Amino acid sequence: MKRLVVLISGEGSNLQALIEACQQGKIAARIAAVISHRADAYGLTRVAAADIEAKSLNPADFAGREAFDLALSALIDRYRPEAIVLAGYMRILSTAFVARYAGRMLNVHPSLLPRYPGLHTHRQALANGDAEHGTSVHFVTDELDGGPVVLQARVPVFAGDDEQILAQRVKAQEHAIYPLVVGWLLAGRLTLRDNVAWLDGAPLPAAGYAAD
Ligand code: GRF
């Protein structure tokens, strides 16, 4: 059985979706470990019932980003994962860390990339009066939220929405598309070549796969 390591910072609702997808056989893998840089991340408590190790590493115990990421990769590598899944992991990654897992590491970002990389995506969509917002699953590269997009999901923005409502609407889509993409990666259907995402032997367009 293939193995995943999931990195989180907070609530872990995407982690929950991944746990369930593995339990239901929608992803042919098991989550070997969930790791956070915050010992109090709520998501770490979600693994209690499942056969998953929950670990945390405190950045304050390390000299800097490189040292932390080196310890993190040593911990990750103990589980020999085929894929590393960032699920609300809110830390900048060092270049060496990204390079180590090139083509094996995915992220989900709450916007229709390349719109709104970085923080406060829902706030920006509302402030700009966007009629549409969404989420993107992408390969992780050295460019923050800039790696090749694999799949996006769109949601409408309604009059009267606030950040919280919009975030929940976006997350509902993430819970559907993230396990799907992780499954593609583990099945060998999805690869990263020369900074382009390929699915089933064909390069994906800039906005990722879109079923008509
Ligand atoms: C998600 O909206 C994801 O796009 C972003 O952080 C949020 C994490 O939510 N990167 P959760 O911790 O999975 O509930």
Side-chain angles (χ1 to χ4, degrees), residues 181-206:
V181 175
V182 171
W184 290 345
L185 182 69
L186 287 165
R189 295 178 56 190
L190 176 67
T191 53
L192 179 68
R193 295 182 221 164
D194 297 330
N195 211 41
V196 174
W198 288 63
L199 182 65
D200 294 334
L204 289 173

Side-chain angles (χ1 to χ4, degrees), residues 8-16 43 46 86-90 107-111 121-122 135-136 145 167-168 170-171 174-175:
I8 62 163
S9 298
E11 191 188 334
S13 68
N14 279 285
L15 165 65
Q16 186 66 42
R46 294 182 186 269
L86 308 185
Y89 184 67
M90 305 296 285
N107 183 42
V108 63
H109 180 76
S111 78
T121 60
H122 311 303
T135 182
S136 307
D145 300 325
Q168 289 310 321
V170 167
K171 278 194 184 188
E174 293 181 337
H175 302 161

Side-chain angles (χ1 to χ4, degrees), residues 28-198:
R30 70 180 189 87
I31 300 174
V34 176
I35 306 174
S36 182
H37 58 105
R38 298 184 50 158
D40 63 351
Y42 177 75
L44 289 175
T45 67
R46 294 182 186 269
V47 308
D51 177 24
I52 302 170
E53 288 196 34
K55 300 275 185 194
S56 63
L57 282 181
N58 183 356
D61 293 340
F62 299 89
R65 187 173 308 286
E66 276 71 25
F68 176 83
D69 278 0
L70 209 57
L72 178 60
S73 55
L75 180 57
I76 290 171
D77 293 351
R78 291 218 308 247
Y79 299 98
R80 293 178 293 112
E82 276 81 9
I84 293 85
V85 182
L86 308 185
Y89 184 67
M90 305 296 285
R91 269 181 69 85
I92 305 276
L93 305 169
S94 62
T95 301
F97 187 88
V98 171
R100 185 179 190 89
Y101 302 114
R104 288 199 284 150
M105 184 155 62
L106 294 168
N107 183 42
V108 63
H109 180 76
S111 78
L112 296 170
L113 291 169
R115 289 207 99 175
Y116 313 137
L119 298 174
H120 308 306
T121 60
H122 311 303
R123 191 179 305 171
Q124 293 181 72
L126 289 170
N128 289 330
D130 293 355
E132 225 179 25
H133 186 43
T135 182
S136 307
V137 177
H138 64 94
F139 276 110
V140 178
T141 65
D142 232 3
E143 195 187 334
L144 179 69
D145 300 325
V149 170
V150 179
L151 187 60
Q152 294 186 323
R154 293 166 188 278
V155 301
V157 182
F158 297 118
D161 277 352
D162 60 19
E163 274 186 63
Q164 210 186 348
I165 286 173
L166 194 51
Q168 289 310 321
R169 194 175 302 135
V170 167
K171 278 194 184 188
Q173 295 301 314
E174 293 181 337
H175 302 161
I177 68 168
Y178 208 10
L180 190 66
V181 175
V182 171
W184 290 345
L185 182 69
L186 287 165
R189 295 178 56 190
L190 176 67
T191 53
L192 179 68
R193 295 182 221 164
D194 297 330
N195 211 41
V196 174
W198 288 63

